[in-house]
Amino acid sequence: MVTLLPSCALHGIEAQAVEIQVSSSQGMLPSIVITGLPDTSVKESKDRIDAAIRSIGERIPPRRITINLSPADRKKSGTHFDFAIAVALLMQTGKIPKQQDNVKTTFLGELGLDGSLLLGRQVNGLLIACQELGIERVFLPRSASEHIHFVPQIEVLLVDTLFHALEVLRGQVAPEALAVEECQDSLHAPADTRLDFCHIQGQHLAVQSALIAAAGHHNLLLCGPPGIGKSMIAEALPGILPPLTYGEYLEVLKVYSVSGEHYASSRPPYRSPHASTSEVALIGGGTHATPGEISLAHRGVLLLDEMPEFRRKSLEALRQPLESGTVQISRAAQKQSYPAGFLLIGTMNLCPCGKSGHDDDSCTCSEYDKERYLAKLSAPVLDRIDLHVTMQREHGARAHASTAIMAEHVLLCRQRQMHRQQCLNGRLQGEALSEHCQLRGELAQTLQTAARTYDLSLRGQDRVLRVARTIADLSGAPHIDRSALLQALHYRPKVKI
């Protein structure tokens, strides 16, 4: 007889069904063999399991035991298989009864040599995978409950040790279910109100561009001298984004779980990597093809402060994610796909010394230095940024509406878009773009004239249409009018960089 027990793994962020198969037979020498492409952490589990079973007063019979992790054509990694393998092994040897209720049950946790159980922040991704695979009941270490930041739609039972789990499976003690109330608080975490738009003086055009960027999911580049408010506007922008829906939150939680990071807020993610960040850290990759900053910013904001200071190779690697909203990481042994639907906010000075744009004309950079500095951002990267704003110093400027009021405008504008086309304007493509961003009357000719004058690519023209559609939605206009189109054209760079 072979004992079968369902389990799961994560291939990137995709759920992978794994079946633990245990068989035993008389052999020349007692042994435990694990097959199914296990990595080192899984191979070592047999020693942890043997010590844990001995510590609770049980023994593995001296037989030849084969443990297979099916399917055998995909590599298995992670110490969370320990618990399930130990239970399947004890079922195979008759130490505990096999499941008779036909409920798909699995066990997630790493075993200590004394029979203790633990499971870190990857618990969220594994639980979501169990839901997607149709597993109905999961046994977890009690310590893992503090890392669960969503409400599982399956039965979760908590145990302290392997011995405690055996008592539950033998019917000697009643199981303890996870309290749903403890998870609900994490999903409804309060918004971060450290920086409010009402504290920003002047810069009406830049603040308006931030509102457009948030309302339609348009990438934004703020240019200007230091101290003018570029970073303040960029840091305030996440506050006007709507909270994540439950489905969006689960997407974000899976990415963070794979990365081993903590995320317990319903607010969109906000990532601001330093300019010295490597390409692997920004895009993702490494030995195990882990997510990078662009994936950790999925459904949120990625701020690249002083973009020209980033490595050119890293910036060029942003091209494909900015277009598709996903990133493909290929390595010799594996290929992973991670979501990267982030809103890019970039800031930059106008010259290497940063003084260009000051009223006193104190910049000492030559024209060659300026051109070389601006050329650090290639035309293909700039073409993928919808809104380009050059900020100047203002005197006697008035304050702006509060973040709360701007957030209401963003939410209403996004609701219009989702009701009309089931996606945000920044993601319109193909036939949907032609249908919902159609120009009426002479506006099509106006766009073509502007395209010739400013040397707009076809991609640039499409982005003008998307921005114009968002401007029209903010004003409540049913179609793109002349004012919305001209304003959208104003946000395109007027010179080649």
Side-chain angles (χ1 to χ4, degrees):
M1 292 290 292
V2 177
T3 298
L4 305 177
L5 198 63
S7 187
C8 68
L10 289 172
H11 183 69
I13 63 169
E14 296 180 1
Q16 176 185 352
V18 177
E19 185 177 59
I20 298 175
Q21 306 168 346
V22 180
S23 68
S24 60
S25 61
Q26 295 290 347
M28 295 293 293
L29 292 174
S31 63
I32 299 178
V33 178
I34 299 180
T35 63
L37 287 183
D39 70 352
T40 302
S41 64
V42 181
K43 289 179 181 179
E44 292 176 346
S45 65
K46 62 182 180 181
D47 298 315
R48 294 192 296 269
I49 292 169
D50 181 59
I53 290 176
R54 289 176 181 272
S55 71
I56 63 174
E58 301 289 349
R59 289 193 178 275
I60 301 175
R63 298 168 65 87
R64 178 176 176 81
I65 297 174
T66 301
I67 302 168
N68 182 49
L69 305 180
S70 177
D73 61 344
R74 279 197 174 186
K75 192 168 186 177
K76 316 300 188 305
S77 62
T79 57
H80 66 278
F81 289 115
D82 290 7
F83 194 7
I85 293 175
V87 170
L89 185 56
L90 290 170
M91 288 180 178
Q92 176 66 20
T93 56
K95 303 298 181 180
I96 53 178
K98 295 185 179 181
Q99 300 294 304
Q100 302 294 333
D101 54 7
N102 294 324
V103 175
K104 294 186 69 174
T105 304
T106 194
F107 305 80
L108 302 176
E110 176 186 329
L111 274 173
L113 301 183
D114 58 351
S116 60
L117 291 167
L118 59 93
L119 189 62
R121 291 172 180 167
Q122 68 268 30
V123 63
N124 294 289
L126 291 172
L127 278 179
I128 296 172
C130 288
Q131 290 183 180
E132 295 174 351
L133 295 173
I135 294 175
E136 304 168 55
R137 180 191 297 152
V138 178
F139 280 77
L140 286 181
R142 188 183 305 277
S143 60
S145 62
E146 64 185 51
H147 299 297
I148 301 176
H149 301 306
F150 76 108
V151 181
Q153 304 299 315
I154 55 179
E155 184 181 10
V156 178
L157 303 179
L158 304 178
V159 292
D160 297 302
T161 62
L162 179 61
F163 182 74
H164 184 197
L166 264 60
E167 290 182 318
V168 173
L169 294 172
R170 289 168 177 167
Q172 297 172 348
V173 297
E176 178 183 345
L178 174 69
V180 175
E181 294 78 12
E182 298 179 4
C183 306
Q184 289 177 332
D185 296 336
S186 298
L187 185 58
H188 301 287
D192 187 0
T193 57
R194 289 177 296 177
L195 187 60
D196 198 295
F197 272 103
C198 65
H199 299 149
I200 300 175
Q201 299 294 322
Q203 302 300 340
H204 174 76
L205 181 63
V207 172
Q208 181 67 17
S209 68
L211 176 66
I212 296 171
H217 194 88
H218 303 290
N219 302 317
L220 170 65
L221 177 62
L222 299 174
C223 309
I228 203 169
K230 304 187 299 293
S231 297
M232 285 187 65
I233 294 173
E235 292 172 6
L237 190 147
I240 64 178
L241 295 177
L244 299 172
T245 65
Y246 184 72
E248 293 171 343
Y249 178 72
L250 292 186
E251 291 180 23
V252 173
L253 196 57
K254 282 196 291 185
V255 175
Y256 275 76
S257 180
V258 171
S259 301
E261 293 198 25
H262 174 81
Y263 200 82
S265 173
S266 61
R267 298 300 306 171
Y270 172 72
R271 306 291 295 192
S272 180
H274 191 263
S276 62
T277 301
S278 66
E279 180 186 359
V280 170
L282 182 64
I283 306 301
T287 305
H288 301 290
T290 55
E293 290 290 336
I294 63 173
S295 294
L296 295 173
H298 179 61
R299 298 290 184 182
V301 172
L302 177 69
L303 170 61
L304 298 185
D305 202 11
E306 301 300 336
M307 279 187 71
E309 302 301 327
F310 282 79
R311 294 177 175 88
R312 185 182 179 92
K313 188 177 181 181
S314 300
L315 295 177
E316 294 301 314
L318 293 175
R319 294 189 193 181
Q320 182 254 338
L322 285 173
E323 285 291 327
S324 64
T326 61
V327 58
Q328 303 287 339
I329 302 174
S330 299
R331 294 295 179 266
Q334 57 181 321
K335 180 183 293 185
Q336 303 289 3
S337 176
Y338 291 111
F342 58 91
L343 176 60
L344 174 64
I345 308 298
T347 69
M348 62 179 291
N349 297 327
L350 298 175
C351 69
C353 75
K355 295 182 180 180
S356 179
H358 282 281
D359 294 336
D360 55 2
D361 295 326
S362 56
C363 176
T364 59
C365 300
S366 65
E367 290 300 322
Y368 173 77
D369 291 335
K370 291 181 181 180
E371 292 179 3
R372 184 178 180 185
Y373 179 77
L374 296 177
K376 290 183 178 181
L377 301 184
S378 68
V381 172
L382 291 172
D383 206 28
R384 288 166 168 80
I385 299 178
D386 308 74
L387 305 166
H388 298 248
V389 179
T390 300
M391 301 168 61
Q392 302 291 337
R393 295 195 180 278
E394 299 179 1
H395 302 283
R398 58 183 176 84
H400 301 278
S402 67
T403 291
I405 294 176
M406 293 178 65
E408 292 179 3
H409 290 306
V410 170
L411 179 61
L412 182 60
C413 183
R414 288 194 169 205
Q415 289 174 343
R416 290 193 184 107
Q417 298 168 52
M418 297 303 294
H419 177 73
R420 179 180 63 239
Q421 63 215 20
Q422 290 74 53
C423 72
L424 297 180
N425 291 332
R427 293 301 183 192
L428 281 173
Q429 293 181 351
E431 294 182 1
L433 177 64
S434 302
E435 177 183 356
H436 300 293
C437 298
Q438 184 178 8
L439 297 180
R440 297 171 179 268
E442 299 180 353
L443 294 184
Q445 183 60 39
T446 301
L447 177 60
Q448 292 303 315
T449 301
R452 290 191 297 269
T453 303
Y454 302 135
D455 195 20
L456 294 180
S457 66
L458 292 177
R459 180 189 291 111
Q461 295 177 47
D462 287 345
R463 291 188 178 274
V464 167
L465 291 174
R466 293 171 185 146
V467 172
R469 179 68 267 184
T470 300
I471 295 173
D473 287 333
L474 282 169
S475 63
H479 305 288
I480 298 175
D481 55 19
R482 183 176 181 82
S483 174
L485 179 61
L486 294 179
Q487 188 175 346
L489 286 168
H490 181 73
Y491 286 116
R492 298 303 299 177
K494 304 304 184 294
V495 295
K496 295 183 179 180
I497 298 179

